[in-house]
Amino acid sequence: MDKRYKPLNLSEQLRIRQQVVEDILNNPQWPLQQVVQHLKTSLRLTTAELAKVAGISARTLQDIEQGRSQGTVQTMNKILGVMGLRLGVCKQ
């Protein structure tokens, strides 16, 4: 957790995580860049911390955050997997 914030107790952490999932699901129009930034800031994680938890390089995460890359479906699933979510393709 980012050292700029005071530690949260377990109930606050759970509430924030639930809110993040709701925010992401309620805003399908958000570009992936915005989803990653919201996830990172809401969970109070640094780029390096989120990358480590997601199992990707910090550079890859930084490129997605800054719009230099859209990331692959596999990479986005690793990032969203932190919250138990998946990015998918579905037939309409």
Side-chain angles (χ1 to χ4, degrees), residues 21-89:
V21 169
E22 282 182 36
D23 291 345
I24 292 170
L25 294 176
N26 290 332
N27 293 286
Q29 77 280 4
W30 282 357
L32 297 176
Q33 172 185 359
Q34 187 174 353
V35 170
V36 171
Q37 289 173 342
H38 181 71
L39 180 66
K40 187 182 92 167
T41 56
S42 296
L43 295 178
R44 299 178 176 185
L45 297 173
T46 64
T47 300
E49 290 169 335
L50 180 56
K52 184 175 181 179
V53 172
I56 62 172
S57 73
R59 178 62 186 252
T60 298
L61 184 61
Q62 188 177 42
D63 286 347
I64 293 169
E65 273 188 285
Q66 295 177 355
R68 291 191 297 252
S69 170
Q70 287 295 312
T72 63
V73 172
Q74 182 180 15
T75 300
M76 290 307 299
N77 279 334
K78 287 180 180 181
I79 296 168
L80 294 171
V82 170
M83 297 304 300
L85 300 172
R86 291 187 63 136
L87 178 67
V89 178

